[in-house]
């Protein structure tokens, strides 16, 4: 595309270097449909930008300060753990600081009932740190191949596997995990989000992520003041089923919401999910006590106990899932669950009867009042052709009918 533009002489006629950089960027991005490619003009840069000093060169105290600045945790209301990571350390740093992180961060979150992993502000990190995050949220009875990274400069591929052992304990697979994202979530944070979503280990809440790269490098073009920012490695993502990855397109959240509202939304989802066992248990009780097709009750109870509720993030999700399953198993379209604005109790939403039972009215003694009662229950008329018409919308109790 650049060669064709040069042959047309349009690019060669641009005299302003910043305009030229903008035109080249637009051309390259549109030709390759890759917004990560950027050509910039930086006359003040005397040499190619150098990478920041490696964290491994810092002292123990400096490392601790750096880690504490980029990792924050607390326990929120309802015993929900909150872990915010703004820059993911790599394996070398984690090998030095792992004990501190386990003792002062991770162990504080182990007793929580659910975990929110906040990656909304995570724009950078080290690929070698990915296995640690995934491993702590994965069961320890198997080692999983979660990604393969291809590095273009060295023409090598590196497989990423979960760790057979981790310092401290893994987070229980029975506990919910929510990952918060924003449009700034990039690179390593996107890979972590993508892997956890594909593993169905986490509910992603927030905005579509940046669609960045695991490693972006800025290269000087020749001896000029022009630079090319280019991704030099890529995720091959075996969990995505072949070539499907998050690069360029970003990770789509399970529940889309503005980034600043993502934590509030996540806590609402966790409140619903915390109430799920109680709702299912009360539904099982109702079927056992009331459902007239008794022979179908065992199959319904078994179905409810073994349903996969991992994708339920709203009342609408739950109602749709329950109705589809119950009606299929019972072969009874009358079996219907509806959300009717339940009251909140300490143990979660309260299940109530849809409509209160109809109570027959007292039969009045006054003749006029009796006539009014009859008129409210029965509609009587003679249609054309001398056809009698009698309509009543509910059966009254026999004693009421006797009295009337």
């Amino acid at each position: 595309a650049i060669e064709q533009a040069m042959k047309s002489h349009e690019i060669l006629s641009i005299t302003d270097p910043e305009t030229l950089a903008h035109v080249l960027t637009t051309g390259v991005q549109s030709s390759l449909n890759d917004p990560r490619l950027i050509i910039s003009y930086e006359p003040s840069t005397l040499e190619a930008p150098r990478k920041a000093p490696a964290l491994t060169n810092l002292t123990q105290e400096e490392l601790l300060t750096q880690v504490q600045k980029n990792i924050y945790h607390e326990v929120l209301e309802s015993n929900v753990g909150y872990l915010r990571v703004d820059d993911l350390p790599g394996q070398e740093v984690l090998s030095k600081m792992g004990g501190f992180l386990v003792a002062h961060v991770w162990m504080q979150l182990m007793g929580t009932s659910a975990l929110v992993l906040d990656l909304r502000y995570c724009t950078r990190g080290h690929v070698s740190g990915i296995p640690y995050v995934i491993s702590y949220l994965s069961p320890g009875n198997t080692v999983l191949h979660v990604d393969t990274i291809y590095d273009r400069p060295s023409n090598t591929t590196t497989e990423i596997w979960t760790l057979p052992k981790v310092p401290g304990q893994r987070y229980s697979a029975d506990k919910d995990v929510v990952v918060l994202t924003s449009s700034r979530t990039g690179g390593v944070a996107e890979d972590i989000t993508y892997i956890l979503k594909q593993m169905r280990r986490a509910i992603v809440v927030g905005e579509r992520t940046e669609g960045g790269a695991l490693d972006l490098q800025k290269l000087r073009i020749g001896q000029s003041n022009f630079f090319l920012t280019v991704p030099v490695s890529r995720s091959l993502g075996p969990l995505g089923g072949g070539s499907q990855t998050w690069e360029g397109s970003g990770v789509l959240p399970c529940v889309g919401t503005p980034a600043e509202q993502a934590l509030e939304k996540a806590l609402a989802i966790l409140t619903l999910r915390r109430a799920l066992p109680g709702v299912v248990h009360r539904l099982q009780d109702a079927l056992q006590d009331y459902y007239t097709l008794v022979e179908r009750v065992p199959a319904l109870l078994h179905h409810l106990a073994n349903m996969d509720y991992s994708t339920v993030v709203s009342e609408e999700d739950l109602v749709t899932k329950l109705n589809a399953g119950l009606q299929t198993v019972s072969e009874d379209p009358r079996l219907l669950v509806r959300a009717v604005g339940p009251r909140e109790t300490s143990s979660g939403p309260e299940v109530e009867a849809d409509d209160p039972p109809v109570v027959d009215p007292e039969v009045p003694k006054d003749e006029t009042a009796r006539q009014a009662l009859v008129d409210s229950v029965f509609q009587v008329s003679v249609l054309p052709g001398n056809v009698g018409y009698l309509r009543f919308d509910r059966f009254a109790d026999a004693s009421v009918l006797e009295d009337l």
Side-chain angles (χ1 to χ4, degrees):
I2 294 172
E3 286 175 356
Q4 288 177 349
M6 287 177 65
K7 287 175 183 175
S8 71
H9 298 293
E10 288 180 19
I11 283 184
L12 301 181
S13 65
I14 298 174
T15 56
D16 177 56
E18 290 187 359
T19 303
L20 177 59
H22 175 72
V23 170
L24 285 169
T25 297
T26 302
V28 170
Q29 288 184 354
S30 60
S31 297
L32 299 177
N33 192 29
D34 192 341
R36 300 170 301 172
L37 291 165
I38 299 172
I39 291 123
S40 57
Y41 177 69
E42 303 176 34
S44 59
T45 307
L46 299 177
E47 57 184 57
R50 291 178 180 173
K51 290 186 177 180
L55 288 176
T56 48
N57 296 333
L58 303 178
T59 65
Q60 192 83 359
E61 291 73 22
E62 289 171 329
L63 266 178
L64 180 58
T65 302
Q66 193 76 15
V67 167
Q68 288 177 320
K69 189 173 84 171
N70 292 316
I71 297 177
Y72 169 80
H73 77 285
E74 65 175 308
V75 178
L76 305 176
E77 193 176 346
S78 301
N79 198 33
V80 174
Y82 174 81
L83 177 62
R84 172 174 161 175
V85 179
D86 293 352
D87 185 358
L88 182 68
Q91 183 177 3
E92 292 182 58
V93 173
L94 290 171
S95 63
K96 285 186 179 181
M97 302 304 301
F100 172 85
L101 288 171
V102 168
H104 296 279
V105 177
W106 190 239
M107 291 308 296
Q108 314 303 313
L109 300 172
M110 280 302 299
T112 56
S113 56
L115 179 68
V116 174
L117 175 59
D118 192 347
L119 299 179
R120 289 176 293 178
Y121 313 96
C122 192
T123 58
R124 60 189 185 273
H126 294 261
V127 170
S128 60
I130 294 174
Y132 288 86
V133 178
I134 306 301
S135 297
Y136 274 103
L137 299 176
S138 302
N141 54 2
T142 182
V143 177
L144 302 172
H145 178 207
V146 295
D147 203 354
T148 300
I149 309 297
Y150 170 67
D151 182 73
R152 177 71 190 277
S154 63
N155 194 31
T156 57
T157 56
T158 303
E159 291 185 347
I160 296 182
W161 292 74
T162 55
L163 306 174
K165 291 184 179 180
V166 295
Q169 304 171 41
R170 299 173 195 263
Y171 202 64
S172 171
D174 296 327
K175 298 179 182 179
D176 285 321
V177 176
V178 178
V179 176
L180 306 185
T181 59
S182 73
S183 58
R184 295 176 56 214
T185 303
V188 166
E190 289 183 277
D191 205 26
I192 290 171
T193 303
Y194 183 80
I195 291 169
L196 291 175
K197 181 183 177 185
Q198 292 298 121
M199 290 173 64
R200 302 182 75 178
R201 182 62 188 97
I203 300 166
V204 181
V205 177
E207 299 170 342
R208 183 192 287 266
T209 61
E210 181 186 38
L214 288 169
D215 187 7
L216 283 172
Q217 288 189 16
K218 187 182 281 189
L219 312 170
R220 181 187 286 277
I221 301 175
Q223 298 303 310
S224 70
N225 291 324
F226 289 91
F227 293 86
L228 170 66
T229 300
V230 59
V232 295
S233 65
R234 63 181 291 210
S235 161
L236 302 180
L239 285 172
S243 60
Q244 178 71 24
T245 74
W246 48 268
E247 295 191 44
S249 58
V251 182
L252 196 65
C254 305
V255 180
T257 191
E260 60 273 13
Q261 298 171 19
L263 178 57
E264 181 184 352
K265 184 68 175 177
L267 294 177
I269 291 170
L270 290 174
T271 298
L272 170 70
R273 294 186 62 79
R274 194 162 52 248
L276 271 176
V279 172
V280 172
H281 180 70
R282 288 194 287 276
L283 186 54
Q284 288 174 317
D285 286 347
L287 288 167
Q288 271 186 312
D289 294 342
Y290 296 104
Y291 190 40
T292 186
L293 302 180
V294 179
E295 70 280 2
R296 302 183 189 181
V297 170
L300 288 168
L301 300 183
H302 177 79
H303 175 76
L304 284 171
N306 292 280
M307 274 178 66
D308 178 12
Y309 297 98
S310 62
T311 59
V312 173
V313 294
S314 68
E315 281 188 350
E316 292 76 14
D317 286 344
L318 181 57
V319 167
T320 301
K321 196 173 190 66
L322 287 173
N323 282 331
L326 293 178
Q327 291 179 15
T328 299
V329 172
S330 67
E331 299 179 349
D332 186 351
R334 303 169 303 169
L335 205 52
L336 194 64
V337 177
R338 288 201 293 129
V340 290
R343 293 198 305 266
E344 193 72 23
T345 68
S346 58
S347 60
E350 182 180 340
V351 176
E352 297 180 339
D354 189 4
D355 295 305
V358 176
V359 179
D360 281 305
E362 290 272 335
V363 178
K365 301 297 182 187
D366 179 69
E367 189 66 27
T368 306
R370 286 184 172 218
Q371 185 62 51
L373 177 57
V374 170
D375 290 343
S376 71
V377 175
F378 300 96
Q379 291 185 34
V380 181
S381 60
V382 179
L383 303 177
N386 197 33
V387 174
Y389 174 83
L390 170 63
R391 166 180 163 178
F392 50 98
D393 296 346
R394 67 180 178 86
F395 278 94
D397 186 79
S399 61
V400 174
L401 292 175
E402 267 184 32
D403 248 8
L404 291 175

